[in-house]
Structure formats: structure tokens, C-alpha cells
Amino acid sequence: MKIIPFLVLFLFGTSSYGQSDTVRIKDLLTVLTKTPKPRNHQNIDQLNLCAKFISTNFKEYADTVFYQNYQIGSLTYKNVVARFNPQASQKMVIGAHYDVCGNQEGADDNASGIVGLLELARLLKGQQLDKCIELVAYTLEEPPFFRTEYMGSFIHAKSLKDSHADVVGMISLEMIGYFNEAKHTQDYPIGFLKLFYGSRGNYITVVNKFGKGKGARKFTKQMDRFAQLPVKKFNGPKSLTGIDFSDHLNYWKMGFSACMVTDTAFYRNKNYHQKTDEMGTLNISKMAQVIDGVFLSILA
């Protein structure tokens, strides 16, 4: 167990730490995953219901909430944006996608990330912030739109670049709910990495590219300091398989400092993009620790 730095407790109070609500996390996961139809690009009505649910939750806590709409043919898709301290000149973005790949519940990928956003919204309410915190729930991260200009995160990142926003960093929450304490439950893109990171899938990872930038560097350091579960930091070339497999890739494209918080996806969770990606496979208490770590790290 890591020791919580005294300065953080002094600045934010003990009530700010360890406050992710595991009952609420479970309830939110249930709503997001137990839908009549999978929340994929073909079921736009289901996507819209999901977006409405996220917006309604954001409105309980955020200063400003709105849809960022965009067209693909005759269809309108929606990012959901929540802002805290919107008048601040500097902005930090935390995002996660709410769509799934194919016909599945997508509990870890990526209901877990969306629940992270919704819990962060609750925790951020009433906090004294020195910058604008922008939480964004993206649509269309999954195939067939992955790596295209129709990704919700591409639309959002480009809007920030076009408006010359002062973005200090972006954090992508991509699969934060699957953990396994057993040996030989963690794989890697390069075999020898197991010597450095271990064979147990019991940690959260902050993934960065080489030359990650100041914002991602600061967040990575703080996450390692504050999270009450093991944090493994990973830096690698953009060409390495998996390092850009989420919404942060579009912020890299726009020149922003960005990183990904992840349980390493298919390198650990073999339910990835399968119908077996169900909420019963997730470790809710570990999820809460990840969310608390992100919360403290963005306040520090």
C-alpha cells in the first residue's frame, strides 16, 4: 500500500481520497452494458440513449454540458462534453469512448472507461480547480471507424486545435476494469518485457509514446504517486502494437500531449472484442482505485 502524500491530504482533505463509490460503479456498469441492443455504430438509437444517459449524469455535477454533434451521411453521432471551471484559460481533457465493437456488452471495452468519467464528474463537483477539466465521452472509437476522421475523438481533438485551445494534456481511459492476481495472466507485445513488468495482470498501466510532452509526463508521475494499486509506466514508439489503440492517438495527431490509462486490453483481458466481455468479469474495487488515482493526479 502506498502512503498518501501529506501535501495532497492537506490541500484537498481526506474526504477527497478513496471516495469512488463501488455501488454506484456497479449500477452504472449495469445500465451501460445491459441494453436492449449493443451500443455499436449500427444501432444509432442505442448510442443516442447511451449519450443521453451520460449527459444526464454529467449535468448533476458539471458546470457546462453539451453534445458535440457531427454527421456521417444522413446520420448524426454525438460526443458528450462536460466542463468544470470552464472560464479557465488552460484545459485538461479526460476522455473515454462509449461505443462497442460488434454485438457485445463491452463491459471492460469500454463501459469501464465511461464509468470512470462519470465517477470523476461526481468527485470533481465543488473542487477548486486551477484549470478547466473537460470530460468527453466519445462515439465511434471502434471499427469500422477506428483510425478515421469519423472517430469522435478526432472530431473533438481537431476542434481544440482549430480553436487554438491551450491544452495541457489529455488522458484516455481505455479498459480500466480487468485484473488478475494469478501468474502468467499478463502478455506483452515483446516477450522480454515480462522480465520488467511481471507475469501477473494485477496493475494499471499509463501508456506513453516517446516524446510524450509535459502534460502526459506530469500525469504519469502523479498517477504512480497517488494510485493505491500498482502502476506500471510504459513508454514506447508509436509503431508498437497497441500503444495507440485508443482515443489518445487523435490528440497525438493534433500535437497535444496525451497518454492512455489501461489494464492493457488484449494483452491481459482475453474477452477483448468478444461476447464474454461482461461486467461479471470486472474487479470493481480495483476500478475504484484507478478512478481515485486519476482524480488525485489531475488535482495535483
Side-chain angles (χ1 to χ4, degrees):
M1 181 70 72
K2 298 178 183 178
I3 298 174
I4 305 169
F6 172 80
L7 180 60
V8 171
L9 292 178
F10 176 77
L11 291 174
F12 304 118
T14 55
S15 62
S16 290
Y17 184 76
Q19 291 298 299
S20 286
D21 185 338
T22 55
V23 173
R24 183 171 187 258
I25 288 172
K26 185 176 181 179
D27 289 344
L28 292 170
L29 283 171
T30 300
V31 173
L32 290 168
T33 61
K34 306 302 181 182
T35 53
K37 296 180 181 179
R39 55 188 196 280
N40 61 44
H41 74 281
Q42 294 177 312
N43 297 323
I44 191 166
D45 290 343
Q46 191 65 64
L47 282 180
N48 286 338
L49 286 172
C50 186
K52 183 178 180 180
F53 174 74
I54 294 167
S55 175
T56 299
N57 274 267
F58 277 164
K59 286 177 179 177
E60 292 186 42
Y61 308 109
D63 298 316
T64 303
V65 179
F66 61 93
Y67 292 123
Q68 184 179 44
N69 297 328
Y70 63 99
Q71 296 291 127
I72 301 179
S74 62
L75 299 178
T76 300
Y77 291 90
K78 302 175 180 180
N79 293 330
V80 190
V81 183
R83 289 175 176 163
F84 296 78
N85 193 26
Q87 70 276 8
S89 59
Q90 289 190 320
K91 185 188 301 288
M92 173 175 283
V93 177
I94 303 131
H97 69 91
Y98 63 88
D99 62 317
V100 301
C101 180
N103 296 320
Q104 58 183 276
E105 292 186 3
D108 198 22
D109 187 15
N110 189 30
S112 66
I114 291 295
V115 170
L117 290 186
L118 296 176
E119 266 296 272
L120 285 173
R122 186 180 66 82
L123 294 171
L124 284 166
K125 182 177 176 63
Q127 294 292 332
Q128 296 297 312
L129 304 173
D130 62 356
K131 54 187 169 291
C132 172
I133 302 295
E134 186 154 305
L135 306 181
V136 191
Y138 310 111
T139 191
L140 302 187
E141 188 267 359
E142 298 286 5
F145 297 105
F146 185 65
R147 295 196 189 281
T148 74
E149 295 182 1
Y150 295 120
M151 290 178 70
S153 54
F154 182 92
I155 299 296
H156 184 259
K158 187 174 187 302
S159 73
L160 295 178
K161 182 178 181 181
D162 290 347
S163 65
H164 305 288
D166 185 0
V167 179
V168 298
M170 183 271 174
I171 304 155
S172 175
L173 304 183
E174 177 64 53
M175 303 180 63
I176 61 170
Y178 189 89
F179 300 86
N180 197 321
E181 293 287 344
K183 292 182 178 179
H184 312 301
T185 55
Q186 182 67 53
D187 297 327
Y188 298 92
I190 303 173
F192 73 82
L193 291 174
K194 190 171 290 187
L195 298 174
F196 298 94
Y197 293 94
S199 70
R200 301 176 192 267
N202 62 353
Y203 58 85
I204 198 71
T205 310
V206 184
V207 177
N208 287 284
K209 66 173 182 175
F210 292 143
K212 52 186 169 287
K214 184 178 179 180
R217 183 181 303 110
K218 179 181 178 181
F219 172 79
T220 302
K221 181 179 179 181
Q222 302 293 9
M223 189 68 177
D224 182 49
R225 185 181 183 190
F226 296 135
Q228 295 295 293
L229 78 168
V231 176
K232 303 293 178 75
K233 299 171 287 184
F234 184 83
N235 299 319
K238 286 194 294 183
S239 59
L240 190 65
T241 301
I243 198 170
D244 67 349
F245 277 15
S246 192
D247 294 293
H248 59 298
L249 75 91
N250 288 310
Y251 296 83
W252 287 350
K253 287 179 181 178
M254 301 299 165
F256 298 123
S257 181
C259 62
M260 173 173 59
V261 177
T262 181
D263 59 25
T264 76
F266 52 87
Y267 289 117
R268 177 186 306 172
N269 189 349
K270 304 313 175 186
N271 303 304
Y272 176 79
H273 285 184
Q274 303 297 317
K275 290 185 177 181
T276 51
D277 184 10
E278 299 176 337
M279 62 177 289
T281 66
L282 304 188
N283 187 321
I284 291 176
S285 63
K286 294 286 188 183
M287 272 186 65
Q289 290 180 326
V290 174
I291 296 165
D292 286 338
V294 173
F295 171 64
L296 281 179
S297 297
I298 63 178
L299 289 185

